[in-house]
Amino acid sequence: MAGRRVVIIGAGVVGAALADELSAKGWDDVTVVDQGPVPVTGGSSSHAPGLVFQTNPSKTMTEMARYTVEKFSALGCFLQVGGLEVATTPGRLAELRRRHGWATAWGVEGRLLTPAECVALHSLLDPGRVLGGFFVPTDGLAKAVDAVDIQLRLARERGVRVLERHEVRGIRVEDDRVAAVVTDRGEIPADLVVCCAGIWGPKIADLVGMALPLTPLAHQLAWTGPVPALRGQAEEAVRPILRHQDADLYYRERADRLGIGFYGHRPMPVRPADILPVEAAEVMPSVLPFTAGDFAPAWAETQALLPATREAEIEEGINGLFSFTTDNMPLLGESPQVKGFWVAEAVWVTHSAGVARAMAEWLVDGHCSSFDLHECDVNRFEPHQLAPDYVLTRAAQNFVEVYDIIHPLQPPENLRPLRVSPFHARQRELGACFLEAGGWERPQWYGANAPLLEGRDIPEPDGWAARHWSPIVGAEAQASRESVALYDMSALKRIEVSGPGAVAFLRRLSTGDIGRPVGSVTYCLLLDADGGIRSDITVARLGRDLFQVGANGNLDLDWLHRHLPADGSVVVRDITAGTCCVGVWGPRARDLMEPLAGADFSRDGFGYFRGRRGHVGTVPVTALRLSYIGELGWELYTTADLGAKLWDTLWEEGQSHGIIAGGRGAFSSLRLEKGYRAFGTDMTCEHDPYEAGLGFAVRQAGEDDFIGRAALRERRASVRRRLTCLTIDGSAAVVMGKEPVYDGDTCVGYVTSAAYGHTIGKGIAYAWLPAALSTPGQALRIGYFDRRIAAVVAEEPLYDPAMKRLRG
């Protein structure tokens, strides 16, 4: 494919894989440039131990790892010896059952093992230390340097140029678009530049003014001398790669020696600017001197778990640099400031080929069809998450926690509080238990609501689900359906879209009928070109050329900015920080609002999915008649400086109506009872509206087009899977999400969101299932640790299907 000049910076395992994938798709003007010698360039790929464990809580990361295994196996640079994770504590044993559930849900074959079965697979283990294990036979060892060599050879055969020993010193930009890569040996013209520079990524990105939230951290890898129990072993590896996560350790063989990787030492961050040049490094730039004192606990624990190592010594070791991010996910995508500058960063060998495939599809086709990339998009971050102190602190903490057992609701302990709503002081006075999302402090429940428990029977979940939980959650949920509750919704992204071209702009980007009269509110979707869901949004028309968009995060803002017309007819502005939002919801919401608002808040005077501006007491507000919990009510928006006054006004008036403050725990339960979907959890870019049960949000009339419309016509005709509601009877147990769903002994899908429905008295789980199994009444089972919980497909919504309460 002529006409697109591509320069890939970095010939490590990611850059090499991308060159291979791009050239395989027909792009014939690709140049790979690296400061080091190829294939041992001196970056992380050159010293990577190569262990590939595919199982990950992220479906996307697991699928990328699986593709890497398949590709490297076909190329002959992968030793499929299997991967064994062992437990030495009851907590880890339970965690391995959860990991087995992830693997099963994401389509990776694995099995749980007894202690004897673990020892049979890895004879060096002390049988007295091991409580059980999890084994994936398709895991193994990637030969990273060989992978670089082979993929670059294939790329060269298709015409790709590989320029080694070329140091990148600049990137020439013209009219906010890349024009060339400047090296110490001259310029390389470019229409697209993809930074695959690994630990040097922030340094390269800085050349175009892009802040890349990546921190290189040193990680210890040591090699023993000959281990007598391995004497005579000629093959590189016979036993499975091994993880002992209770002690932050992993192991791999190299003939009669063992490699020992350790994450239990202090974080050792390095500034990209301080990494030595290739010619100045004693070994290679990514290898720092081994600090034996830091490794001492690892060696002691190794000798306890693998007694045969007591007859060996540590012969060599390194502190090798690897890339860490603030959320442990890769950084993929195009710079928001400079067109044509792309990054594929913070990618380890495990996911390298998968990431390269995703990037090649994105660059060539305009979207990625193989993987959902919303967790990896480099533009997902809020501005505070790009602050150097934030990047360093969170990356170092992620290093410490890399093998820790992390609960889905577990909030970070450092850098808090960062973002608080104007209601925060009042929430603290009410005894709020705060969790965190996107930097926001969000109440999960309120201690002041403990008296609501009197006379209520709130089922208690089991140990795992009971973490970050209180029976107050159930009481708040029930009380919200009885009286009126205030829910802090300030963490939702709010975007103002204005200008004479705003209507046409929003109609082009969204599936909704945006052109309705002023005062209308529209629920709709943002789609990719292939019809996949990028986000769900609400669009309120507040004036002829003025709209307020309720979005899901910074990716929505980025998407809007990227599609702005060049004529300046549309202005997009993030107004989140300067505003706040409180949901006033419940059957007595109108009783509360009418005396305060003055305007007509009657059923006929303020209809469902309508919006208007007015006042609550002395506070100017934008009121939208929406409810995320399925009850009568409004979202009230005002400026941040008046937020506390708005809360106080509502709270004082609400005392005679039984007002409460509700937390996120109750909110999650109530939204699932009503069947409301959450983007990023229930549906992602890999799903279309008809599969997700959101076909009603797609406009059919009109000749004007919207992004993804053509693809939807084809997808609508063949819906093979559906987001389906399941209920769980007879137990207070609630699953947490990402569990496998079984029809008999066959895994047929996976859970997305789950909670206990305190109104309906049942557990609720939404799951992706084959369309043939989504019929109400279908009996299924959900894998939950070591149990199979009976569930049944239910008609949705479970609560108020006639919409009488919501529209009342």
Side-chain angles (χ1 to χ4, degrees):
M1 184 181 297
R4 304 303 299 273
R5 299 169 299 178
V6 183
V7 176
I8 299 171
I9 300 174
V13 72
V14 179
L18 180 56
D20 179 39
E21 296 282 343
L22 277 177
S23 60
K25 291 179 77 69
W27 279 26
D28 57 7
D29 194 347
V30 178
T31 302
V32 181
V33 59
D34 199 289
Q35 63 183 341
V38 174
V40 184
T41 61
S44 300
S45 301
S46 301
H47 68 75
L51 286 80
V52 175
F53 290 93
Q54 296 168 82
T55 305
N56 192 287
S58 165
K59 182 173 182 284
T60 296
M61 298 299 279
T62 299
E63 290 173 339
M64 286 178 169
R66 185 171 60 205
Y67 178 79
T68 301
V69 166
E70 293 169 355
K71 182 177 183 180
F72 285 6
S73 295
L75 295 178
C77 53
F78 191 77
L79 296 177
Q80 205 155 58
V81 293
L84 175 62
E85 302 177 57
V86 296
T88 58
T89 63
R92 182 66 60 179
L93 187 62
E95 172 71 357
L96 293 186
R97 291 173 181 141
R98 191 164 69 115
R99 293 180 64 79
H100 179 228
W102 294 336
T104 303
W106 311 148
V108 174
E109 178 193 352
R111 63 181 186 270
L112 295 168
L113 304 181
T114 65
E117 290 172 324
C118 293
V119 176
L121 276 176
H122 204 295
S123 58
L124 301 188
L125 286 166
D126 180 353
R129 291 288 309 281
V130 177
L131 301 181
F134 171 50
F135 178 64
V136 175
T138 53
D139 287 346
L141 286 166
K143 299 182 178 182
V145 173
D146 288 351
V148 171
D149 198 23
I150 294 168
Q151 291 177 106
L152 286 181
R153 174 174 53 79
L154 293 171
R156 282 189 180 105
E157 291 172 357
R158 302 187 196 103
V160 171
R161 294 186 302 161
V162 179
L163 304 180
E164 59 183 351
R165 302 185 189 278
H166 281 59
E167 182 185 352
V168 174
R169 294 184 174 175
I171 296 175
R172 185 158 55 82
V173 176
E174 297 177 357
D175 297 324
D176 296 324
R177 176 177 286 279
V178 296
V181 173
V182 182
T183 77
D184 57 346
R185 300 191 184 190
E187 283 194 358
I188 309 169
D191 301 304
L192 296 172
V193 174
V194 187
C195 177
C196 303
I199 55 177
W200 291 278
K203 187 176 179 181
I204 298 297
D206 188 55
L207 296 175
V208 297
M210 182 180 181
L212 197 67
L214 181 158
T215 302
L217 283 117
H219 158 62
Q220 291 197 303
L221 175 67
W223 291 94
T224 70
V227 178
L230 302 180
R231 185 179 292 114
Q233 180 172 309
E235 301 94 335
E236 179 175 351
V238 175
R239 293 159 187 80
I241 55 175
L242 178 66
R243 277 210 285 214
H244 175 28
Q245 291 167 289
D246 285 321
D248 297 305
L249 288 162
Y250 64 78
Y251 304 93
R252 59 152 296 177
E253 296 174 351
R254 187 174 68 189
D256 63 350
R257 289 161 164 79
L258 278 182
I260 306 167
F262 186 43
Y263 286 103
H265 56 79
R266 61 193 167 90
M268 301 183 226
V270 176
R271 291 195 317 146
D274 294 338
I275 300 172
L276 292 175
V278 173
E279 64 276 5
E282 183 176 344
V283 180
M284 61 180 73
S286 61
V287 171
L288 305 180
F290 185 62
T291 50
D294 291 305
F295 193 74
W299 183 229
E301 181 60 27
T302 295
Q303 292 175 310
L305 182 72
L306 310 174
T309 59
R310 297 169 190 167
E311 301 179 62
E313 300 290 339
I314 296 296
E315 231 178 40
E316 57 181 307
I318 63 169
N319 288 5
L321 295 179
F322 288 103
S323 301
F324 282 78
T325 62
T326 60
D327 59 3
N328 277 333
M329 296 297 285
L331 307 172
L332 313 180
E334 188 179 22
S335 162
Q337 294 92 15
V338 177
K339 294 178 181 179
F341 183 82
W342 292 70
V343 299
E345 287 289 343
V347 181
W348 293 2
V349 175
T350 299
H351 310 101
S352 57
V355 163
R357 180 181 186 181
M359 292 297 297
E361 290 177 351
W362 202 348
L363 290 166
V364 175
D365 304 327
H367 63 274
C368 176
S369 57
S370 294
F371 312 101
D372 164 49
L373 298 182
H374 85 275
E375 296 175 298
C376 308
D377 195 313
V378 71
N379 296 296
R380 65 190 181 269
F381 300 103
E382 296 291 328
H384 74 274
Q385 294 172 319
L386 300 176
D389 285 350
Y390 184 96
V391 173
L392 174 61
T393 302
R394 284 288 165 86
Q397 186 63 30
N398 285 336
F399 179 92
V400 170
E401 296 177 348
V402 70
Y403 281 169
D404 285 3
I405 300 171
I406 306 294
H407 190 275
L409 295 178
Q410 182 173 319
E413 296 181 0
N414 51 30
L415 297 178
R416 291 180 63 198
L418 272 173
R419 308 173 82 183
V420 297
S421 80
F423 317 134
H424 185 70
R426 299 295 181 261
Q427 292 165 346
R428 291 182 61 186
E429 292 169 2
L430 293 171
C433 174
F434 291 100
L435 302 186
E436 189 251 30
W440 289 97
E441 295 295 315
R442 295 200 310 193
Q444 190 72 0
W445 67 83
Y446 292 87
N449 288 330
L452 293 174
L453 290 169
E454 186 175 352
R456 301 181 189 271
D457 182 18
I458 307 298
E460 184 174 352
D462 65 15
W464 183 250
R467 298 184 188 183
H468 306 289
W469 177 89
S470 166
I472 295 173
V473 166
E476 290 177 358
Q478 292 177 357
S480 297
R481 299 226 185 273
E482 297 165 355
S483 55
V484 61
L486 301 185
Y487 284 87
D488 183 357
M489 304 300 289
S490 299
L492 292 180
K493 176 73 75 175
R494 293 173 290 285
I495 302 170
E496 183 182 89
V497 179
S498 62
V503 173
F505 172 70
L506 288 171
R507 284 182 68 85
R508 170 64 179 155
L509 263 64
S510 77
T511 64
D513 187 6
I514 304 301
R516 293 189 299 158
V518 172
S520 63
V521 181
T522 305
Y523 174 81
C524 51
L525 307 169
L526 303 179
L527 303 181
D528 223 324
D530 64 350
I533 301 171
R534 289 192 60 92
S535 187
D536 63 333
I537 60 174
T538 56
V539 181
R541 190 171 192 180
L542 304 179
R544 177 183 173 185
D545 299 323
L546 177 64
F547 296 83
Q548 180 174 302
V549 176
N552 282 296
N554 214 54
L555 287 182
D556 298 340
L557 181 65
D558 179 69
W559 185 252
L560 296 181
H561 275 142
R562 289 183 186 280
H563 289 85
L564 281 171
D567 61 6
S569 63
V570 180
V571 175
V572 170
R573 191 165 66 95
D574 184 355
I575 61 172
T576 309
T579 58
C580 58
C581 176
V582 59
V584 182
W585 298 323
R588 304 196 68 179
R590 183 173 287 117
D591 298 334
L592 168 62
M593 290 297 299
E594 283 188 316
L596 293 173
D600 185 2
F601 270 63
S602 69
R603 176 175 178 174
D604 295 331
F606 201 146
Y608 186 52
F609 264 77
R610 298 290 297 172
R612 67 165 61 135
R613 286 176 163 165
H615 291 80
V616 173
T618 59
V619 179
V621 299
T622 298
L624 306 184
R625 182 141 175 228
L626 307 176
S627 172
Y628 280 99
I629 70 169
E631 294 289 343
L632 169 68
W634 290 265
E635 293 177 2
L636 301 179
Y637 299 87
T638 192
T639 52
D641 60 319
L642 291 169
K645 180 62 176 177
L646 175 62
W647 181 283
D648 289 346
T649 301
L650 293 166
W651 191 257
E652 181 179 352
E653 179 66 27
Q655 294 307 303
S656 61
H657 302 292
I659 195 170
I660 69 160
R664 194 72 182 182
F667 175 91
S668 298
S669 170
L670 296 169
R671 83 158 178 93
L672 287 179
E673 288 184 329
K674 194 58 184 169
Y676 293 149
R677 280 79 165 129
F679 176 78
T681 302
D682 296 315
M683 72 275 193
T684 66
C685 302
E686 63 181 310
H687 308 115
D688 69 47
Y690 305 112
E691 296 172 329
L694 297 175
F696 67 87
V698 179
R699 72 178 187 267
Q700 303 301 319
E703 295 181 0
D704 60 327
D705 203 0
F706 58 82
I707 295 173
R709 186 173 192 174
L712 278 190
R713 294 191 183 103
E714 297 180 13
R715 295 181 70 149
R716 186 179 188 181
S718 58
V719 175
R720 297 187 297 272
R721 58 184 175 180
R722 294 189 187 280
L723 184 62
T724 305
C725 179
L726 304 174
T727 57
I728 305 168
D729 286 327
S731 171
V734 290
V735 297
M736 300 293 294
K738 303 183 179 181
E739 295 87 358
V741 180
Y742 294 91
D743 180 21
D745 293 327
T746 304
C747 179
V748 293
Y750 59 92
V751 173
T752 58
S753 294
Y756 188 80
H758 294 279
T759 310
I760 66 168
K762 297 179 181 180
I764 307 168
Y766 272 78
W768 281 102
L769 297 174
L773 295 176
S774 62
T775 305
Q778 173 72 48
L780 299 165
R781 290 184 178 272
I782 300 173
Y784 185 60
F785 291 92
D786 58 345
R787 294 152 45 187
R788 298 280 180 94
I789 299 175
V792 63
V793 175
E795 194 82 49
E796 60 169 328
L798 299 169
Y799 178 76
D800 188 27
M803 305 280 282
K804 292 181 179 180
R805 294 175 69 93
L806 195 59
R807 297 178 182 272

